[in-house]
Amino acid sequence: MNNQQQNFSFKKTFKSEWYLLLIILIPLIFALYIYPQLPEQIPTHWDIDGNVDDYSSKVFAVWFFPLLNLGLYFLLIALPVIDPRRKNYARFAGPYKIFRIVFVIFMSSLYLLTLLISLGYSFRVDVFVKFAVSILFIIIGNYTAKFQPNYFVGIKTPWTLANEEVWRKTHRLGGKLWTIAGVICLILSFFTIRWTNYLYFAVIMVMAFIPVVASYFYYRQLQQ
């Protein structure tokens, strides 16, 4: 891909996804508007029970998170250019766009929630985060099977990267597991008992572990 094609790709993406830039920038504009009302220390981390366990300065919290969101969004756009398997991105352009959209909305929602809490509004952050992550799993799980071999997005193991058939089988399995796990986590997100929190994270560990192990066995099967 030459420089002209790369530049055209960036321009085309920006033009078609201008609304994502608005989703990133509008919470920042809101933060600057309410900046005098914000406390000097803003909560930026919560424990498993939803209690604040870390704070950041007002300047850092207001600017860092939207700039991080913007930087990661730019990175997601740049990946198809720097990935050695860049040609495969055209084969799952739709699912990859969905991935960018849900990621930006997720990050912007967390930032906006942090601002509202800093203003004194009461929210169960643990419930919101678990709920949002569950929705993220369900959406991504429904599109995972369509991801094509690449070095940045998807279930990347030595075996999936070595063989396209292993990649296909692993992502088909992973997509089903992540969707099911997302539904289970969605139900668990409404419970605030501590053991349900541990179960929530256990489900995530299982959904992440099984596809990795399965990719090894899929590879061994093909080798035999």
Side-chain angles (χ1 to χ4, degrees), residues 14-169:
F14 287 139
K15 287 181 179 179
S16 64
E17 296 181 4
W18 56 269
Y19 53 90
L20 291 183
L21 296 177
L22 283 181
I23 293 175
I24 295 173
L25 294 177
I26 286 177
L28 175 59
I29 295 173
F30 173 69
L32 295 176
Y33 176 75
I34 64 171
Y35 190 84
Q37 305 174 43
L38 294 173
E40 291 303 319
Q41 294 293 315
I42 293 179
T44 52
H45 194 272
W46 290 260
D47 62 21
I48 193 173
D49 297 313
N51 301 312
V52 180
D53 60 3
D54 194 17
Y55 292 83
S56 296
S57 67
K58 178 165 63 172
V59 175
F60 178 85
V62 166
W63 286 101
F64 175 75
F65 296 106
L67 291 179
L68 174 64
N69 193 7
L70 186 63
L72 292 175
Y73 171 67
F74 287 156
L75 177 62
L76 290 175
I77 295 177
L79 292 184
V81 176
I82 63 177
D83 195 324
R85 296 183 174 180
R86 61 179 67 91
K87 293 181 179 179
N88 285 341
Y89 283 82
R91 297 165 57 190
F92 67 108
Y96 188 53
K97 182 176 182 179
I98 295 296
F99 178 79
R100 293 195 299 272
I101 291 173
V102 297
F103 177 80
V104 166
I105 293 176
F106 175 74
M107 294 289 289
S108 298
S109 298
L110 290 181
Y111 177 59
L112 184 59
L113 181 68
T114 300
L115 294 176
L116 294 176
I117 291 175
S118 301
L119 289 175
Y121 292 93
S122 179
F123 292 98
R124 286 299 305 255
V125 178
D126 55 331
V127 174
F128 175 84
V129 171
K130 289 187 294 184
F131 177 84
V133 170
S134 301
I135 297 297
L136 200 65
F137 287 152
I138 294 173
I139 295 175
I140 294 177
N142 275 278
Y143 290 96
T144 299
K146 298 180 180 180
F147 287 2
Q148 300 300 318
N150 68 90
Y151 285 101
F152 293 108
V153 184
I155 305 169
K156 299 170 295 299
T157 70
W159 310 288
T160 57
L161 293 175
N163 187 284
E164 285 202 18
E165 181 66 15
V166 175
W167 176 284
R168 184 183 63 80
K169 289 184 176 181

Side-chain angles (χ1 to χ4, degrees), residues 7 50-51 81 169 184 198-199 214:
N7 293 334
N51 301 312
V81 176
K169 289 184 176 181
I184 296 174
Y198 290 125
L199 181 58

